[in-house]
Amino acid sequence: MTKQHEREPIINIQNVEKHYGSVTALDGVSIKIEAGEFFSLLGPSGCGKTTLLRIISGFDNPSVGTVFIGGADMTDVPPNERPTNMVFQSYAIFPHLNVADNVGYGLKKQKLPKEEIDRRVDDALKLVDLEGYGPRESHALSGGQRQRVALARALIMKPKVLLLDEPLSALDKKLRETMQSELRKLQRTVGITFVLVTHDQEEALTMSDRIAVMFDGRIAQIDSPEGLYRRPISRRVASFIGVMNFIPATVIENTNKILSLNIKSLGQLDIKTSSALKKSEVITVGIRPEMLTILYNKSDTSEYSFNASIENASYYGDMTYYEVFIEDTDIKATVSMRNTAGRPVLEIGSKARVGWGKDSITIL
Amino acid sequence: MSKEIKSSKALPNIWQKPKFVPKMTPRSWTGIALISPPFAYSLLMLAAPLLLVFLLSMWTQNYLELDRTFTFANYKEAASEKLYQVLMIRSVVISGVVTIVTVLLAYPIAYYIAFFGGKRKSMWLLLITIPFWTSYLIRVFLWKVILGYNGVINGSLMGLGFIEEPLTFILYNANAVVITLAHAWAPFAILPIFVSLSRIDFSLLEAARDLGDGPLRRFFRVTLPLSMPGVVAASLIVFIPTVGDYVTPRLLGGTNGLMIANMIQIQFGKANNAPLGSALAVSAMIIVASASIAFVLLNRRFLKVKG
Ligand SMILES: Nc1ncnc2c1ncn2[C@@H]1O[C@H](COP(=O)(O)OP(=O)(O)O)[C@@H](O)[C@H]1O
Ligand SMILES: [Mg+2]
């Protein structure tokens, strides 16, 4: 279709399966990753992310299927001969070597002159902001520093693809957020493909060009962060990426690409669609909390609105999250409001009018 | 000097009463009560005999009497007499060879159990201790049966026609002592090496692989250095006691395989010169201790690593 698909992908995973005895860790996984992309594998713990990363790196072999890197079949290529390098979850810093020897580890084999190695080690340390740390003992490093050493050690090899297995999960929140933007910047600087494994949807959204969402060893959806958030293809994806309110609806009519829906207790509306839903089919529509607005004043207007009672309010400083019951139903919805001037935090138990627009609806 | 100290206020006054004085709580009394029996035991069984040997080594034996004047004459004799030198060097050499052979044989076994033992690790470790189920003396005699002129090895080799005469280099000499000791001490070498190998974080080995090392390079660059604490421990565990081994050279060593402990025994027994025997024992102890300390210092860069 587009140019992207004509280019040879740097990583081409074709129909990969991995079985451990009776456990199916991966099932029919196919992914194409473009050169220079920041690609994330996102999914809950145990969904097979690490297994897939280890298959790309060569530490595990697929039971079925093939992995191509740079167009070459990797089936019989051992990890030490693949154009990939890995940042391990535990960082795997060699405890018996100092920082410089850790970073230069992979170069020693290449029979380079010592000055050349020293220069490249210095460059790599500079790249990860650890200038002058070369002679330090590796066991005296902090978590963040260990991670930078692991990054430098992998990047010095000039791999085509850098694989990162939950690299930030061992860091505290503040440091994690700093490292997120630094990793992103680093990827732009070096320009190589990053494949990042994470269970943290926020991390995946903020860092990636594209994300593959995985559940139970299968790919659920591959899209850009915005695409995933705005157009999740299933309820499961929708609730894994951010918060989504689910409301049942019935199809009244679907003609000429106009879908008429009767959304339970919210009323009837028509939206443009290309879906093939049939008359009287029961479906779910999703709406994000930020697409719902509490109408503070009687004069505030909105395309649609419903009455609700406030069940709970969580105050986050800049935002307040309300859990509300849609009036006369047992349907719960989350509404997020920015705490701007003139928007007091509403009391639990009080009534409110909630406005929304039909463009914000996702059909699942 | 004192002026200098006065002028510098930053220096702590060491004569001041320490801020923290440990108080004896009921808990600490419990602690003392708990360590007293083993403490008394080791004082009685270890320190006292050792002290006695030290004292004895500086006295002189006059036929039936013990002359308690303080002298280093025994040490001079121990150091200058050719026979004692030969025995001492031989002991250290045999023990060193035993250590090398034992560790070299133990390493692959420990490696196999640690990395390929799977669920059967404890079974393998149990199997390794099987030789301990019989007395050491019996095992030594068994080696005699295996290595002897009409023994298992010579018998089968001659029976098969590979050799005409029995092999003589395997009994009543230093080789027999080395073979027997290496077998006897193998479990003591396997266990510490196994422990240090199993402690290695597997992702370190994968990282080495990831950075381009094949299996062999990876072994010498990561596995071996990280298992050195086990190798050092195994070497000391084998080396220290075998230098003073007495039974094995006595039964299998012939005349060319005798070691320093046999001479110490002779001095305490037939020669009736316990002071000289003590001096030989103390000298052996000093040599072994120095060798061990030197060995540890040579390997200290591997030992300070925290896994
Ligand atoms: N070596 C293995 N032996 C048996 N089962 C395994 C092995 N490695 C992974 N699994 C199983 O495969 C599934 C996926 O694991 P993993 O890839 O580690 O998940 P994730 O990284 O997404 O948390 C899990 O159910 C896990 O128990
Ligand atoms: Mg994982």
Side-chain angles (χ1 to χ4, degrees):
Chain A
M1 284 181 284
T2 57
K3 252 189 189 163
Q4 268 197 354
H5 286 258
E6 286 157 23
R7 252 192 328 195
E8 176 93 49
I10 185 80
I11 296 180
N12 190 351
I13 299 164
Q14 285 188 352
N15 199 27
V16 160
E17 288 177 26
K18 179 72 184 177
H19 306 282
Y20 291 108
S22 62
V23 178
T24 299
L26 292 174
D27 192 4
V29 171
S30 295
I31 301 177
K32 284 182 178 142
I33 300 175
E34 303 296 330
E37 233 184 342
F38 198 124
F39 193 93
S40 292
L41 300 170
L42 172 66
S45 177
C47 72
K49 309 179 294 289
T50 298
T51 305
L52 185 56
L53 204 69
R54 290 175 61 82
I55 284 175
I56 298 174
S57 65
F59 289 116
D60 277 330
N61 290 316
S63 311
V64 179
T66 320
V67 173
F68 296 89
I69 300 179
D73 185 343
M74 289 288 129
T75 306
D76 297 318
V77 182
N80 46 326
E81 284 163 26
R82 295 197 181 192
T84 60
N85 279 105
M86 180 103 131
V87 174
F88 291 83
Q89 188 163 10
S90 59
Y91 307 144
I93 305 296
F94 300 118
H96 59 299
L97 301 177
N98 67 16
V99 169
D101 288 341
N102 260 284
V103 173
Y105 189 96
L107 295 184
K108 290 275 157 64
K109 196 187 167 187
Q110 302 177 0
K111 301 220 173 70
L112 299 169
K114 194 181 172 306
E115 303 79 60
E116 166 84 3
I117 293 181
D118 288 348
R119 194 182 53 73
R120 280 175 66 178
V121 167
D122 285 346
D123 287 350
L125 285 175
K126 215 177 284 175
L127 190 68
V128 295
D129 240 353
L130 281 182
E131 217 174 340
Y133 275 68
R136 293 248 188 139
E137 289 300 328
S138 52
H139 49 78
L141 298 175
S142 71
Q145 289 166 341
R146 297 172 80 77
Q147 201 217 13
R148 288 162 197 265
V149 172
L151 270 169
R153 187 177 71 180
L155 286 172
I156 205 170
M157 304 301 290
K158 304 205 163 109
K160 284 186 184 155
V161 180
L162 186 71
L163 307 168
L164 306 105
D165 191 358
E166 311 236 6
L168 305 178
S169 61
L171 307 179
D172 59 66
K173 192 170 187 304
K174 264 265 152 50
L175 190 56
R176 197 159 63 221
E177 281 164 6
T178 320
M179 283 311 294
Q180 280 174 13
S181 66
E182 280 194 30
L183 261 185
R184 182 74 241 226
K185 263 185 242 160
L186 190 63
Q187 192 263 341
R188 290 214 184 96
T189 313
V190 294
I192 62 173
T193 312
F194 277 34
V195 180
L196 174 101
V197 158
T198 178
H199 64 267
D200 181 344
Q201 47 101 7
E202 205 176 290
E203 195 169 294
L205 289 181
T206 53
M207 294 165 81
S208 324
D209 293 317
R210 279 194 311 150
I211 300 169
V213 181
M214 293 176 68
F215 296 119
D216 306 326
R218 293 166 180 275
I219 303 288
Q221 187 173 0
I222 302 178
D223 211 332
S224 65
E226 200 184 350
L228 276 182
Y229 191 80
R230 289 187 188 275
R231 295 176 299 277
I233 58 157
S234 69
R235 238 183 119 135
R236 202 161 176 200
V237 172
S239 50
F240 193 75
I241 311 280
V243 181
M244 180 74 97
N245 297 308
F246 298 109
I247 301 164
T250 321
V251 178
I252 300 170
E253 213 171 14
N254 187 3
T255 46
N256 301 329
K257 302 205 168 173
I258 303 289
L259 182 68
S260 290
L261 287 177
N262 184 8
I263 301 178
K264 193 175 174 188
S265 67
L266 299 189
Q268 193 173 326
L269 57 82
D270 295 342
I271 44 177
K272 278 195 189 124
T273 180
S274 55
S275 73
L277 292 167
K278 294 210 176 60
K279 194 174 168 172
S280 68
E281 217 170 316
V282 178
I283 59 164
T284 302
V285 297
I287 186 159
R288 296 282 182 192
E290 67 275 14
M291 298 297 182
L292 298 173
T293 316
I294 289 174
L295 305 172
Y296 277 86
N297 305 311
K298 289 228 164 59
S299 55
D300 287 347
T301 55
S302 176
E303 200 179 349
Y304 295 89
S305 70
F306 60 88
N307 290 324
S309 56
I310 310 277
E311 177 73 7
N312 204 353
S314 312
Y315 180 73
Y316 280 82
D318 58 337
M319 304 281 289
T320 305
Y321 283 78
Y322 296 99
E323 263 179 59
V324 305
F325 269 120
I326 300 175
E327 196 172 50
D328 301 328
T329 70
D330 55 357
I331 299 171
K332 223 185 221 180
T334 304
V335 181
S336 68
M337 293 297 288
R338 189 156 281 286
N339 292 330
T340 51
R343 282 182 182 173
V345 178
L346 296 175
E347 273 178 43
I348 293 168
S350 61
K351 303 266 183 237
R353 203 154 58 86
V354 178
W356 55 286
K358 73 174 176 190
D359 290 344
S360 53
I361 288 272
T362 311
I363 291 166
L364 295 165
Chain B
M1 258 291 270
S2 61
K3 222 179 179 180
E4 235 179 65
I5 289 176
K6 264 180 207 158
S7 65
S8 161
K9 277 183 185 163
L11 279 175
N13 183 356
I14 54 161
W15 303 115
Q16 222 170 18
K17 235 170 70 181
K19 280 195 188 107
F20 175 74
V21 183
K23 264 192 238 146
M24 295 305 280
T25 60
R27 254 184 88 126
S28 39
W29 284 116
T30 317
I32 286 173
L34 276 173
I35 61 162
S36 306
F39 186 68
Y41 179 86
S42 43
L43 206 65
L44 215 65
M45 298 299 186
L46 213 73
L50 205 59
L51 199 69
L52 214 64
V53 169
F54 269 119
L55 283 176
L56 204 53
S57 71
M58 300 200 233
W59 294 340
T60 319
Q61 187 83 37
N62 284 330
Y63 300 103
L64 293 177
E65 274 174 28
L66 206 55
D67 177 358
R68 291 198 167 80
T69 19
F70 190 83
T71 172
F72 280 112
N74 294 318
Y75 285 99
K76 270 190 203 125
E77 196 182 343
S80 54
E81 188 69 44
K82 186 87 180 119
L83 176 63
Y84 304 149
Q85 289 175 357
V86 168
L87 285 178
M88 192 71 84
I89 291 170
R90 186 191 290 157
S91 300
V92 171
V93 168
I94 287 185
S95 187
V97 173
V98 167
T99 306
I100 292 168
V101 169
T102 311
V103 169
L104 283 183
L105 291 177
Y107 201 99
I109 297 172
Y111 188 93
Y112 177 82
I113 300 173
F115 292 121
F116 302 98
K119 285 176 191 145
R120 299 220 186 87
K121 278 196 181 80
S122 30
M123 186 200 76
W124 283 114
L125 292 175
L126 187 77
L127 287 179
I128 280 165
T129 64
I130 279 186
F132 289 118
W133 298 6
T134 60
S135 131
Y136 182 57
L137 224 48
I138 292 177
R139 277 181 280 153
V140 173
F141 275 107
L142 283 175
W143 274 108
K144 236 172 152 161
V145 170
I146 295 170
L147 302 172
Y149 296 140
N150 300 313
V152 175
I153 292 181
N154 279 324
S156 13
L157 286 180
M158 283 197 290
L160 289 169
F162 286 124
I163 49 172
E164 303 281 311
E165 302 272 291
L167 300 171
T168 52
F169 68 89
I170 50 173
L171 192 61
Y172 299 126
N173 57 24
N175 294 336
V177 176
V178 169
I179 293 172
T180 310
L181 282 176
H183 170 251
W185 287 90
F188 294 104
I190 292 171
L191 287 176
I193 297 173
F194 164 78
V195 168
S196 68
L197 282 172
S198 0
R199 276 215 201 115
I200 297 177
D201 179 359
F202 201 73
S203 64
L204 293 174
L205 303 180
E206 289 189 336
R209 206 78 211 281
D210 187 66
L211 293 165
D213 278 358
L216 206 62
R217 286 184 72 91
R218 174 180 78 174
F219 175 78
F220 285 109
R221 294 180 76 189
V222 181
T223 318
L224 186 59
L226 289 179
S227 62
M228 275 314 275
V231 171
V232 170
S235 307
L236 295 181
I237 288 173
V238 176
F239 180 73
I240 294 172
T242 47
V243 170
D245 191 58
Y246 156 79
V247 182
T248 325
R250 181 70 208 279
L251 294 176
L252 297 170
T255 43
N256 292 331
L258 283 185
M259 287 162 68
I260 194 70
N262 304 107
M263 181 49 75
I264 294 171
Q265 190 258 347
I266 289 171
Q267 292 302 334
F268 273 88
K270 264 187 240 159
N272 187 28
N273 195 348
L276 181 58
S278 301
L280 285 172
V282 172
S283 311
M285 207 167 82
I286 291 169
I287 289 169
V288 169
S290 325
S292 306
I293 290 169
F295 184 66
V296 168
L297 288 179
L298 278 177
N299 287 294
R300 65 183 179 284
R301 72 188 184 94
F302 297 116
L303 300 179
K304 67 178 177 200
V305 166
K306 286 172 244 151

